[in-house]
């Protein structure tokens, strides 16, 4: 698949590629461009033009919302295709991608589309000789760097609010699972979004680093590891830019003596194994009272052995 920059699909300046491996077969089943600094610069400049000079900044909120509703319709129409991409790229069960992730994408995009004409400022009373008002304005070019485990969902989580507020976006999906993000950008163009409003660059960590450091970016939104989040915060600090970080978690299931053991077992299996265990809220630790420990672990092993990989 190719990247989407402006209204063009491109393989990038160097034609270098990144293999996308299906974890079920451990075989390469797709290839995407490995974007370099020049490609990132091209994407940011396309977004900059769309924000500074293009029709996006002149559109009314309801016109933006109308395009987002169209994108939601296309997400629904192509749900099976997008779900299969995520399953093949990162290994989540197809039933989760199809029945959980994509319906969430559609409903969230509908929600954000409805927000477009409801984002308003306020007036602050200061007496008869002063008039103070707060005006909400889009921040500009948003760099959205996504993780591998919920490719479509987190793409939409970053894209929807940014577009609703009048921003433009350059998406950088994880190299392990980039295809649904690319496809969503293609659908945005199909929905009628002006060129440069939604862009995607693919590649390894160097691509994300170039995007985070680009002077044309006004806001960075990153979901991923604490280590990379720390580096992104440094990059944002150098140019005093807005940054949002959602970093890794280490969640615990706490089993107390008066717990319903069957319910606790079911919850532990679900939170440990949902999305093939690749989720920041997974129950990756157990805190159990000593007298319950051996009994609970033995019962948990029985439940785990029933799962189909």
């Amino acid at each position: 698949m190719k990247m989407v920059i402006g209204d063009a699909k491109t393989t990038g300046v160097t034609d270098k590629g990144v293999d996308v491996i299906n974890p079920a077969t451990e075989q390469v089943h797709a290839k995407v461009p490995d974007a370099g600094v020049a490609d990132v610069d091209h994407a940011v400049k396309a977004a900059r033009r769309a924000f500074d000079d293009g029709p996006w900044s002149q559109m009314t909120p309801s016109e933006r919302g109308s395009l987002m509703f169209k994108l939601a319709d296309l997400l629904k129409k192509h749900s099976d295709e997008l779900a299969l991409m995520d399953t093949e790229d990162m290994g989540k069960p197809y039933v989760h991608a199809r029945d959980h992730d994509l319906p969430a994408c559609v409903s969230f995009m509908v929600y954000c589309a409805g927000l477009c004409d409801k984002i308003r400022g306020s007036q602050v009373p200061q007496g008869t000789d002063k008039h103070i008002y707060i005006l909400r304005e889009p921040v500009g070019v948003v760099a959205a760097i996504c993780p591998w485990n919920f490719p479509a969902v987190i793409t939409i989580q970053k894209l929807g609010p940014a577009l609703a507020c009048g921003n433009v976006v350059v998406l950088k999906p994880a190299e392990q699972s980039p295809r649904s993000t690319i496809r969503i950008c293609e659908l945005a163009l199909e929905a009628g979004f002006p060129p440069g409003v939604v862009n995607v660059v693919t590649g390894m960590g160097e691509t994300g680093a170039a995007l985070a450091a680009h002077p044309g970016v006004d806001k960075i939104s990153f979901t991923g590891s604490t280590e990379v989040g720390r580096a992104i915060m440094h990059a944002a600090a150098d140019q005093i830019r807005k940054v949002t970080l959602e970093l890794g978690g280490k969640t615990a299931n706490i089993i107390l003596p008066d717990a319903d053991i069957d319910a606790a077992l079911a919850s532990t299996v679900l939170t440990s194994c949902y999305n093939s265990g690749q989720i920041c809220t997974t129950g990756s630790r157990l805190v159990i009272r000593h007298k319950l420990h051996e009994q609970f672990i033995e019962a948990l092993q029985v439940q785990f052995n029933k799962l189909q990989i």
Side-chain angles (χ1 to χ4, degrees), residues 57-92:
S57 54
Q58 276 78 53
M59 280 186 180
T60 65
S62 60
E63 288 172 333
R64 291 200 307 270
S66 177
L67 291 177
M68 293 174 67
F69 279 122
K70 290 179 181 178
L71 177 56
D73 288 340
L74 288 172
L75 291 173
K76 186 173 183 178
K77 179 180 178 182
H78 293 272
S79 286
D80 289 352
E81 173 192 0
L82 292 165
L84 186 59
M85 285 180 172
D86 281 359
T87 291
E88 291 177 336
D89 282 4
M90 59 71 54
K92 69 170 72 228

PDB file of all heavy atoms in Angstrom, residues 57-92:
ATOM      1  N   SER A  57     -10.011  25.650   6.316  1.00  0.00           N
ATOM      2  CA  SER A  57     -10.103  26.714   7.319  1.00  0.00           C
ATOM      3  C   SER A  57     -11.228  27.699   7.019  1.00  0.00           C
ATOM      4  O   SER A  57     -11.663  28.439   7.908  1.00  0.00           O
ATOM      5  CB  SER A  57      -8.772  27.477   7.415  1.00  0.00           C
ATOM      6  OG  SER A  57      -8.373  27.948   6.145  1.00  0.00           O
ATOM      7  N   GLN A  58     -11.724  27.693   5.767  1.00  0.00           N
ATOM      8  CA  GLN A  58     -12.832  28.579   5.420  1.00  0.00           C
ATOM      9  C   GLN A  58     -14.197  27.899   5.560  1.00  0.00           C
ATOM     10  O   GLN A  58     -15.239  28.546   5.448  1.00  0.00           O
ATOM     11  CB  GLN A  58     -12.681  29.094   3.981  1.00  0.00           C
ATOM     12  CG  GLN A  58     -11.764  30.309   3.839  1.00  0.00           C
ATOM     13  CD  GLN A  58     -10.299  29.922   3.885  1.00  0.00           C
ATOM     14  OE1 GLN A  58      -9.879  29.049   3.132  1.00  0.00           O
ATOM     15  NE2 GLN A  58      -9.530  30.554   4.744  1.00  0.00           N
ATOM     16  N   MET A  59     -14.197  26.596   5.795  1.00  0.00           N
ATOM     17  CA  MET A  59     -15.466  25.873   5.905  1.00  0.00           C
ATOM     18  C   MET A  59     -16.176  26.236   7.198  1.00  0.00           C
ATOM     19  O   MET A  59     -15.544  26.521   8.223  1.00  0.00           O
ATOM     20  CB  MET A  59     -15.216  24.354   5.893  1.00  0.00           C
ATOM     21  CG  MET A  59     -14.987  23.769   4.535  1.00  0.00           C
ATOM     22  SD  MET A  59     -14.874  21.955   4.656  1.00  0.00           S
ATOM     23  CE  MET A  59     -14.616  21.556   2.938  1.00  0.00           C
ATOM     24  N   THR A  60     -17.492  26.203   7.158  1.00  0.00           N
ATOM     25  CA  THR A  60     -18.259  26.367   8.398  1.00  0.00           C
ATOM     26  C   THR A  60     -18.186  25.055   9.194  1.00  0.00           C
ATOM     27  O   THR A  60     -17.925  23.989   8.637  1.00  0.00           O
ATOM     28  CB  THR A  60     -19.725  26.683   8.099  1.00  0.00           C
ATOM     29  OG1 THR A  60     -20.320  25.550   7.434  1.00  0.00           O
ATOM     30  CG2 THR A  60     -19.852  27.928   7.225  1.00  0.00           C
ATOM     31  N   PRO A  61     -18.406  25.125  10.495  1.00  0.00           N
ATOM     32  CA  PRO A  61     -18.404  23.895  11.286  1.00  0.00           C
ATOM     33  C   PRO A  61     -19.382  22.845  10.769  1.00  0.00           C
ATOM     34  O   PRO A  61     -19.066  21.648  10.763  1.00  0.00           O
ATOM     35  CB  PRO A  61     -18.797  24.383  12.681  1.00  0.00           C
ATOM     36  CG  PRO A  61     -18.311  25.796  12.728  1.00  0.00           C
ATOM     37  CD  PRO A  61     -18.529  26.326  11.351  1.00  0.00           C
ATOM     38  N   SER A  62     -20.555  23.261  10.323  1.00  0.00           N
ATOM     39  CA  SER A  62     -21.526  22.280   9.835  1.00  0.00           C
ATOM     40  C   SER A  62     -21.044  21.633   8.543  1.00  0.00           C
ATOM     41  O   SER A  62     -21.338  20.450   8.282  1.00  0.00           O
ATOM     42  CB  SER A  62     -22.891  22.934   9.624  1.00  0.00           C
ATOM     43  OG  SER A  62     -22.809  23.982   8.675  1.00  0.00           O
ATOM     44  N   GLU A  63     -20.301  22.365   7.718  1.00  0.00           N
ATOM     45  CA  GLU A  63     -19.742  21.772   6.491  1.00  0.00           C
ATOM     46  C   GLU A  63     -18.680  20.726   6.843  1.00  0.00           C
ATOM     47  O   GLU A  63     -18.624  19.658   6.223  1.00  0.00           O
ATOM     48  CB  GLU A  63     -19.143  22.863   5.609  1.00  0.00           C
ATOM     49  CG  GLU A  63     -20.181  23.745   4.938  1.00  0.00           C
ATOM     50  CD  GLU A  63     -19.584  24.939   4.231  1.00  0.00           C
ATOM     51  OE1 GLU A  63     -18.493  25.415   4.633  1.00  0.00           O
ATOM     52  OE2 GLU A  63     -20.206  25.427   3.261  1.00  0.00           O
ATOM     53  N   ARG A  64     -17.853  21.027   7.845  1.00  0.00           N
ATOM     54  CA  ARG A  64     -16.877  20.026   8.301  1.00  0.00           C
ATOM     55  C   ARG A  64     -17.599  18.796   8.849  1.00  0.00           C
ATOM     56  O   ARG A  64     -17.227  17.654   8.574  1.00  0.00           O
ATOM     57  CB  ARG A  64     -15.961  20.608   9.379  1.00  0.00           C
ATOM     58  CG  ARG A  64     -14.990  21.664   8.896  1.00  0.00           C
ATOM     59  CD  ARG A  64     -13.828  21.810   9.867  1.00  0.00           C
ATOM     60  NE  ARG A  64     -14.258  22.033  11.246  1.00  0.00           N
ATOM     61  CZ  ARG A  64     -14.469  23.219  11.799  1.00  0.00           C
ATOM     62  NH1 ARG A  64     -14.298  24.315  11.060  1.00  0.00           N
ATOM     63  NH2 ARG A  64     -14.847  23.330  13.055  1.00  0.00           N
ATOM     64  N   GLY A  65     -18.635  19.043   9.638  1.00  0.00           N
ATOM     65  CA  GLY A  65     -19.395  17.934  10.209  1.00  0.00           C
ATOM     66  C   GLY A  65     -20.022  17.062   9.142  1.00  0.00           C
ATOM     67  O   GLY A  65     -20.066  15.832   9.275  1.00  0.00           O
ATOM     68  N   SER A  66     -20.493  17.670   8.076  1.00  0.00           N
ATOM     69  CA  SER A  66     -21.110  16.911   6.992  1.00  0.00           C
ATOM     70  C   SER A  66     -20.107  15.936   6.371  1.00  0.00           C
ATOM     71  O   SER A  66     -20.442  14.779   6.087  1.00  0.00           O
ATOM     72  CB  SER A  66     -21.647  17.870   5.928  1.00  0.00           C
ATOM     73  OG  SER A  66     -22.193  17.167   4.834  1.00  0.00           O
ATOM     74  N   LEU A  67     -18.871  16.392   6.167  1.00  0.00           N
ATOM     75  CA  LEU A  67     -17.842  15.509   5.617  1.00  0.00           C
ATOM     76  C   LEU A  67     -17.517  14.383   6.593  1.00  0.00           C
ATOM     77  O   LEU A  67     -17.276  13.238   6.183  1.00  0.00           O
ATOM     78  CB  LEU A  67     -16.575  16.312   5.302  1.00  0.00           C
ATOM     79  CG  LEU A  67     -16.676  17.299   4.134  1.00  0.00           C
ATOM     80  CD1 LEU A  67     -15.369  18.073   3.987  1.00  0.00           C
ATOM     81  CD2 LEU A  67     -16.994  16.555   2.835  1.00  0.00           C
ATOM     82  N   MET A  68     -17.517  14.693   7.881  1.00  0.00           N
ATOM     83  CA  MET A  68     -17.215  13.665   8.878  1.00  0.00           C
ATOM     84  C   MET A  68     -18.332  12.626   8.961  1.00  0.00           C
ATOM     85  O   MET A  68     -18.066  11.437   9.159  1.00  0.00           O
ATOM     86  CB  MET A  68     -16.953  14.314  10.231  1.00  0.00           C
ATOM     87  CG  MET A  68     -15.669  15.146  10.249  1.00  0.00           C
ATOM     88  SD  MET A  68     -15.421  16.064  11.792  1.00  0.00           S
ATOM     89  CE  MET A  68     -15.145  14.707  12.940  1.00  0.00           C
ATOM     90  N   PHE A  69     -19.573  13.055   8.798  1.00  0.00           N
ATOM     91  CA  PHE A  69     -20.677  12.091   8.735  1.00  0.00           C
ATOM     92  C   PHE A  69     -20.519  11.170   7.521  1.00  0.00           C
ATOM     93  O   PHE A  69     -20.787   9.960   7.593  1.00  0.00           O
ATOM     94  CB  PHE A  69     -22.022  12.805   8.673  1.00  0.00           C
ATOM     95  CG  PHE A  69     -22.538  13.280  10.001  1.00  0.00           C
ATOM     96  CD1 PHE A  69     -22.820  14.626  10.213  1.00  0.00           C
ATOM     97  CD2 PHE A  69     -22.749  12.390  11.055  1.00  0.00           C
ATOM     98  CE1 PHE A  69     -23.301  15.077  11.442  1.00  0.00           C
ATOM     99  CE2 PHE A  69     -23.227  12.829  12.278  1.00  0.00           C
ATOM    100  CZ  PHE A  69     -23.503  14.171  12.470  1.00  0.00           C
ATOM    101  N   LYS A  70     -20.079  11.731   6.407  1.00  0.00           N
ATOM    102  CA  LYS A  70     -19.847  10.908   5.216  1.00  0.00           C
ATOM    103  C   LYS A  70     -18.726   9.897   5.468  1.00  0.00           C
ATOM    104  O   LYS A  70     -18.814   8.729   5.044  1.00  0.00           O
ATOM    105  CB  LYS A  70     -19.490  11.794   4.014  1.00  0.00           C
ATOM    106  CG  LYS A  70     -20.656  12.621   3.493  1.00  0.00           C
ATOM    107  CD  LYS A  70     -20.214  13.490   2.311  1.00  0.00           C
ATOM    108  CE  LYS A  70     -21.379  14.345   1.813  1.00  0.00           C
ATOM    109  NZ  LYS A  70     -20.958  15.241   0.699  1.00  0.00           N
ATOM    110  N   LEU A  71     -17.680  10.335   6.172  1.00  0.00           N
ATOM    111  CA  LEU A  71     -16.590   9.418   6.496  1.00  0.00           C
ATOM    112  C   LEU A  71     -17.090   8.299   7.414  1.00  0.00           C
ATOM    113  O   LEU A  71     -16.730   7.127   7.239  1.00  0.00           O
ATOM    114  CB  LEU A  71     -15.433  10.170   7.157  1.00  0.00           C
ATOM    115  CG  LEU A  71     -14.245   9.309   7.607  1.00  0.00           C
ATOM    116  CD1 LEU A  71     -13.681   8.489   6.463  1.00  0.00           C
ATOM    117  CD2 LEU A  71     -13.148  10.191   8.224  1.00  0.00           C
ATOM    118  N   ALA A  72     -17.943   8.645   8.373  1.00  0.00           N
ATOM    119  CA  ALA A  72     -18.523   7.622   9.249  1.00  0.00           C
ATOM    120  C   ALA A  72     -19.306   6.587   8.442  1.00  0.00           C
ATOM    121  O   ALA A  72     -19.222   5.374   8.702  1.00  0.00           O
ATOM    122  CB  ALA A  72     -19.416   8.270  10.300  1.00  0.00           C
ATOM    123  N   ASP A  73     -20.057   7.053   7.448  1.00  0.00           N
ATOM    124  CA  ASP A  73     -20.806   6.131   6.589  1.00  0.00           C
ATOM    125  C   ASP A  73     -19.862   5.195   5.824  1.00  0.00           C
ATOM    126  O   ASP A  73     -20.144   3.997   5.677  1.00  0.00           O
ATOM    127  CB  ASP A  73     -21.672   6.912   5.601  1.00  0.00           C
ATOM    128  CG  ASP A  73     -22.858   7.589   6.260  1.00  0.00           C
ATOM    129  OD1 ASP A  73     -23.243   7.174   7.370  1.00  0.00           O
ATOM    130  OD2 ASP A  73     -23.403   8.549   5.667  1.00  0.00           O
ATOM    131  N   LEU A  74     -18.746   5.748   5.346  1.00  0.00           N
ATOM    132  CA  LEU A  74     -17.794   4.926   4.611  1.00  0.00           C
ATOM    133  C   LEU A  74     -17.083   3.936   5.535  1.00  0.00           C
ATOM    134  O   LEU A  74     -16.775   2.813   5.125  1.00  0.00           O
ATOM    135  CB  LEU A  74     -16.771   5.820   3.897  1.00  0.00           C
ATOM    136  CG  LEU A  74     -17.308   6.590   2.693  1.00  0.00           C
ATOM    137  CD1 LEU A  74     -16.276   7.595   2.188  1.00  0.00           C
ATOM    138  CD2 LEU A  74     -17.698   5.624   1.569  1.00  0.00           C
ATOM    139  N   LEU A  75     -16.813   4.363   6.769  1.00  0.00           N
ATOM    140  CA  LEU A  75     -16.230   3.430   7.738  1.00  0.00           C
ATOM    141  C   LEU A  75     -17.160   2.244   7.967  1.00  0.00           C
ATOM    142  O   LEU A  75     -16.723   1.089   8.040  1.00  0.00           O
ATOM    143  CB  LEU A  75     -15.954   4.138   9.062  1.00  0.00           C
ATOM    144  CG  LEU A  75     -14.846   5.192   9.090  1.00  0.00           C
ATOM    145  CD1 LEU A  75     -14.832   5.892  10.435  1.00  0.00           C
ATOM    146  CD2 LEU A  75     -13.483   4.572   8.805  1.00  0.00           C
ATOM    147  N   LYS A  76     -18.438   2.542   8.074  1.00  0.00           N
ATOM    148  CA  LYS A  76     -19.418   1.467   8.268  1.00  0.00           C
ATOM    149  C   LYS A  76     -19.483   0.559   7.042  1.00  0.00           C
ATOM    150  O   LYS A  76     -19.514  -0.681   7.164  1.00  0.00           O
ATOM    151  CB  LYS A  76     -20.790   2.066   8.555  1.00  0.00           C
ATOM    152  CG  LYS A  76     -21.850   1.038   8.912  1.00  0.00           C
ATOM    153  CD  LYS A  76     -23.149   1.719   9.344  1.00  0.00           C
ATOM    154  CE  LYS A  76     -24.185   0.689   9.771  1.00  0.00           C
ATOM    155  NZ  LYS A  76     -25.439   1.352  10.232  1.00  0.00           N
ATOM    156  N   LYS A  77     -19.478   1.160   5.869  1.00  0.00           N
ATOM    157  CA  LYS A  77     -19.554   0.392   4.627  1.00  0.00           C
ATOM    158  C   LYS A  77     -18.352  -0.536   4.472  1.00  0.00           C
ATOM    159  O   LYS A  77     -18.474  -1.662   3.963  1.00  0.00           O
ATOM    160  CB  LYS A  77     -19.648   1.350   3.441  1.00  0.00           C
ATOM    161  CG  LYS A  77     -19.699   0.678   2.078  1.00  0.00           C
ATOM    162  CD  LYS A  77     -19.782   1.714   0.963  1.00  0.00           C
ATOM    163  CE  LYS A  77     -19.779   1.053  -0.401  1.00  0.00           C
ATOM    164  NZ  LYS A  77     -19.819   2.066  -1.499  1.00  0.00           N
ATOM    165  N   HIS A  78     -17.184  -0.085   4.913  1.00  0.00           N
ATOM    166  CA  HIS A  78     -15.941  -0.844   4.723  1.00  0.00           C
ATOM    167  C   HIS A  78     -15.458  -1.497   6.019  1.00  0.00           C
ATOM    168  O   HIS A  78     -14.275  -1.834   6.126  1.00  0.00           O
ATOM    169  CB  HIS A  78     -14.854   0.080   4.168  1.00  0.00           C
ATOM    170  CG  HIS A  78     -15.125   0.579   2.781  1.00  0.00           C
ATOM    171  ND1 HIS A  78     -14.743  -0.104   1.648  1.00  0.00           N
ATOM    172  CD2 HIS A  78     -15.758   1.699   2.346  1.00  0.00           C
ATOM    173  CE1 HIS A  78     -15.116   0.569   0.574  1.00  0.00           C
ATOM    174  NE2 HIS A  78     -15.739   1.667   0.960  1.00  0.00           N
ATOM    175  N   SER A  79     -16.363  -1.699   6.967  1.00  0.00           N
ATOM    176  CA  SER A  79     -15.973  -2.237   8.274  1.00  0.00           C
ATOM    177  C   SER A  79     -15.305  -3.601   8.170  1.00  0.00           C
ATOM    178  O   SER A  79     -14.288  -3.860   8.820  1.00  0.00           O
ATOM    179  CB  SER A  79     -17.192  -2.330   9.195  1.00  0.00           C
ATOM    180  OG  SER A  79     -17.574  -1.058   9.661  1.00  0.00           O
ATOM    181  N   ASP A  80     -15.873  -4.495   7.369  1.00  0.00           N
ATOM    182  CA  ASP A  80     -15.303  -5.839   7.256  1.00  0.00           C
ATOM    183  C   ASP A  80     -13.880  -5.786   6.700  1.00  0.00           C
ATOM    184  O   ASP A  80     -12.981  -6.496   7.180  1.00  0.00           O
ATOM    185  CB  ASP A  80     -16.173  -6.718   6.366  1.00  0.00           C
ATOM    186  CG  ASP A  80     -17.497  -7.091   7.022  1.00  0.00           C
ATOM    187  OD1 ASP A  80     -17.673  -6.789   8.221  1.00  0.00           O
ATOM    188  OD2 ASP A  80     -18.354  -7.687   6.327  1.00  0.00           O
ATOM    189  N   GLU A  81     -13.674  -4.930   5.708  1.00  0.00           N
ATOM    190  CA  GLU A  81     -12.352  -4.791   5.095  1.00  0.00           C
ATOM    191  C   GLU A  81     -11.338  -4.251   6.110  1.00  0.00           C
ATOM    192  O   GLU A  81     -10.228  -4.790   6.245  1.00  0.00           O
ATOM    193  CB  GLU A  81     -12.458  -3.833   3.896  1.00  0.00           C
ATOM    194  CG  GLU A  81     -11.130  -3.464   3.267  1.00  0.00           C
ATOM    195  CD  GLU A  81     -11.245  -2.302   2.295  1.00  0.00           C
ATOM    196  OE1 GLU A  81     -12.367  -1.776   2.112  1.00  0.00           O
ATOM    197  OE2 GLU A  81     -10.203  -1.922   1.724  1.00  0.00           O
ATOM    198  N   LEU A  82     -11.715  -3.200   6.828  1.00  0.00           N
ATOM    199  CA  LEU A  82     -10.807  -2.600   7.803  1.00  0.00           C
ATOM    200  C   LEU A  82     -10.525  -3.563   8.959  1.00  0.00           C
ATOM    201  O   LEU A  82      -9.388  -3.657   9.438  1.00  0.00           O
ATOM    202  CB  LEU A  82     -11.409  -1.297   8.336  1.00  0.00           C
ATOM    203  CG  LEU A  82     -11.509  -0.158   7.322  1.00  0.00           C
ATOM    204  CD1 LEU A  82     -12.439   0.937   7.844  1.00  0.00           C
ATOM    205  CD2 LEU A  82     -10.135   0.420   7.027  1.00  0.00           C
ATOM    206  N   ALA A  83     -11.549  -4.280   9.393  1.00  0.00           N
ATOM    207  CA  ALA A  83     -11.363  -5.241  10.482  1.00  0.00           C
ATOM    208  C   ALA A  83     -10.386  -6.337  10.082  1.00  0.00           C
ATOM    209  O   ALA A  83      -9.514  -6.730  10.875  1.00  0.00           O
ATOM    210  CB  ALA A  83     -12.710  -5.845  10.879  1.00  0.00           C
ATOM    211  N   LEU A  84     -10.513  -6.842   8.868  1.00  0.00           N
ATOM    212  CA  LEU A  84      -9.619  -7.895   8.406  1.00  0.00           C
ATOM    213  C   LEU A  84      -8.183  -7.388   8.316  1.00  0.00           C
ATOM    214  O   LEU A  84      -7.231  -8.124   8.636  1.00  0.00           O
ATOM    215  CB  LEU A  84     -10.084  -8.427   7.056  1.00  0.00           C
ATOM    216  CG  LEU A  84      -9.307  -9.630   6.517  1.00  0.00           C
ATOM    217  CD1 LEU A  84      -9.377 -10.805   7.483  1.00  0.00           C
ATOM    218  CD2 LEU A  84      -9.848 -10.032   5.145  1.00  0.00           C
ATOM    219  N   MET A  85      -8.006  -6.144   7.898  1.00  0.00           N
ATOM    220  CA  MET A  85      -6.660  -5.568   7.851  1.00  0.00           C
ATOM    221  C   MET A  85      -6.004  -5.585   9.230  1.00  0.00           C
ATOM    222  O   MET A  85      -4.841  -5.978   9.380  1.00  0.00           O
ATOM    223  CB  MET A  85      -6.719  -4.126   7.319  1.00  0.00           C
ATOM    224  CG  MET A  85      -6.939  -4.003   5.838  1.00  0.00           C
ATOM    225  SD  MET A  85      -6.982  -2.264   5.330  1.00  0.00           S
ATOM    226  CE  MET A  85      -7.008  -2.456   3.545  1.00  0.00           C
ATOM    227  N   ASP A  86      -6.753  -5.167  10.241  1.00  0.00           N
ATOM    228  CA  ASP A  86      -6.187  -5.133  11.588  1.00  0.00           C
ATOM    229  C   ASP A  86      -5.883  -6.533  12.105  1.00  0.00           C
ATOM    230  O   ASP A  86      -4.862  -6.763  12.755  1.00  0.00           O
ATOM    231  CB  ASP A  86      -7.132  -4.409  12.549  1.00  0.00           C
ATOM    232  CG  ASP A  86      -7.042  -2.892  12.419  1.00  0.00           C
ATOM    233  OD1 ASP A  86      -6.234  -2.414  11.588  1.00  0.00           O
ATOM    234  OD2 ASP A  86      -7.777  -2.188  13.135  1.00  0.00           O
ATOM    235  N   THR A  87      -6.771  -7.477  11.833  1.00  0.00           N
ATOM    236  CA  THR A  87      -6.536  -8.858  12.261  1.00  0.00           C
ATOM    237  C   THR A  87      -5.298  -9.433  11.582  1.00  0.00           C
ATOM    238  O   THR A  87      -4.450 -10.055  12.229  1.00  0.00           O
ATOM    239  CB  THR A  87      -7.763  -9.730  11.948  1.00  0.00           C
ATOM    240  OG1 THR A  87      -8.836  -9.335  12.801  1.00  0.00           O
ATOM    241  CG2 THR A  87      -7.472 -11.204  12.180  1.00  0.00           C
ATOM    242  N   GLU A  88      -5.164  -9.223  10.292  1.00  0.00           N
ATOM    243  CA  GLU A  88      -4.009  -9.755   9.566  1.00  0.00           C
ATOM    244  C   GLU A  88      -2.711  -9.064   9.971  1.00  0.00           C
ATOM    245  O   GLU A  88      -1.650  -9.693   9.980  1.00  0.00           O
ATOM    246  CB  GLU A  88      -4.225  -9.601   8.059  1.00  0.00           C
ATOM    247  CG  GLU A  88      -5.322 -10.495   7.498  1.00  0.00           C
ATOM    248  CD  GLU A  88      -5.556 -10.249   6.026  1.00  0.00           C
ATOM    249  OE1 GLU A  88      -5.243  -9.151   5.527  1.00  0.00           O
ATOM    250  OE2 GLU A  88      -6.077 -11.170   5.363  1.00  0.00           O
ATOM    251  N   ASP A  89      -2.785  -7.786  10.312  1.00  0.00           N
ATOM    252  CA  ASP A  89      -1.568  -7.044  10.640  1.00  0.00           C
ATOM    253  C   ASP A  89      -1.070  -7.312  12.054  1.00  0.00           C
ATOM    254  O   ASP A  89       0.136  -7.455  12.273  1.00  0.00           O
ATOM    255  CB  ASP A  89      -1.796  -5.533  10.477  1.00  0.00           C
ATOM    256  CG  ASP A  89      -1.766  -5.078   9.029  1.00  0.00           C
ATOM    257  OD1 ASP A  89      -1.650  -5.941   8.130  1.00  0.00           O
ATOM    258  OD2 ASP A  89      -1.871  -3.860   8.790  1.00  0.00           O
ATOM    259  N   MET A  90      -1.990  -7.354  13.045  1.00  0.00           N
ATOM    260  CA  MET A  90      -1.503  -7.440  14.428  1.00  0.00           C
ATOM    261  C   MET A  90      -2.028  -8.624  15.218  1.00  0.00           C
ATOM    262  O   MET A  90      -1.626  -8.825  16.357  1.00  0.00           O
ATOM    263  CB  MET A  90      -1.748  -6.137  15.192  1.00  0.00           C
ATOM    264  CG  MET A  90      -3.177  -5.651  15.324  1.00  0.00           C
ATOM    265  SD  MET A  90      -4.294  -6.546  16.400  1.00  0.00           S
ATOM    266  CE  MET A  90      -3.392  -6.576  17.935  1.00  0.00           C
ATOM    267  N   GLY A  91      -2.911  -9.439  14.649  1.00  0.00           N
ATOM    268  CA  GLY A  91      -3.249 -10.696  15.273  1.00  0.00           C
ATOM    269  C   GLY A  91      -4.426 -10.702  16.213  1.00  0.00           C
ATOM    270  O   GLY A  91      -4.636 -11.689  16.923  1.00  0.00           O
ATOM    271  N   LYS A  92      -5.212  -9.640  16.243  1.00  0.00           N
ATOM    272  CA  LYS A  92      -6.400  -9.671  17.098  1.00  0.00           C
ATOM    273  C   LYS A  92      -7.450 -10.599  16.484  1.00  0.00           C
ATOM    274  O   LYS A  92      -7.519 -10.743  15.260  1.00  0.00           O
ATOM    275  CB  LYS A  92      -6.978  -8.274  17.299  1.00  0.00           C
ATOM    276  CG  LYS A  92      -7.613  -7.650  16.063  1.00  0.00           C
ATOM    277  CD  LYS A  92      -8.362  -6.381  16.418  1.00  0.00           C
ATOM    278  CE  LYS A  92      -7.412  -5.257  16.754  1.00  0.00           C
ATOM    279  NZ  LYS A  92      -7.767  -4.562  17.975  1.00  0.00           N
TER     280      LYS A  92
END
